[in-house]
Amino acid sequence: GASVLNRIRVIYTEVLFERLYEGAWLFWETHEFLQRHGFKLCGLSNVVHSTEGDLLQANATFRRPDAFR
């Protein structure tokens, strides 16, 4: 719950730009949730595109502003 999230400083997670799995959150939902809990997006890696060039998924790093103080 929220008490565990309050102790976390950095989150590295897969994010989806298309609903590839039933019930999975899209990037925008994940970003909004983590932003509400004090996290800031600080990087994307391993970005995967469809054959048409659309974003499909990536790994995202979110951190608290004071994570490295």
Side-chain angles (χ1 to χ4, degrees), residues 24 31 37 54-55 59 66:
H31 182 261
H37 287 87
D54 297 326
L55 283 170
N59 294 328
D66 64 345

Side-chain angles (χ1 to χ4, degrees), residues 7-9 12 22-23 25 27 30 34-35 39 42-43 45-46 48 53-54 58-59 62 64-67:
R7 292 182 282 162
I8 295 172
R9 297 287 171 235
Y12 181 73
E22 185 176 329
W25 284 14
F27 167 79
T30 303
L34 290 175
Q35 197 171 37
F39 290 87
C42 62
S45 61
N46 301 322
V48 177
D54 297 326
N59 294 328
F62 295 88
R64 293 190 181 279
D66 64 345

Side-chain angles (χ1 to χ4, degrees), residues 10-57:
V10 177
I11 295 175
Y12 181 73
T13 187
E14 177 183 70
V15 291
L16 303 174
F17 297 94
E18 299 285 336
R19 206 166 303 274
L20 302 176
Y21 313 107
E22 185 176 329
W25 284 14
L26 294 176
F27 167 79
W28 321 110
E29 296 164 310
T30 303
H31 182 261
E32 182 180 313
F33 175 82
L34 290 175
Q35 197 171 37
R36 279 196 322 264
H37 287 87
F39 290 87
K40 177 181 178 179
L41 177 66
C42 62
L44 292 173
S45 61
N46 301 322
V47 177
V48 177
H49 295 86
S50 70
T51 55
E52 294 83 24
D54 297 326
L55 283 170
L56 291 180
Q57 66 188 54

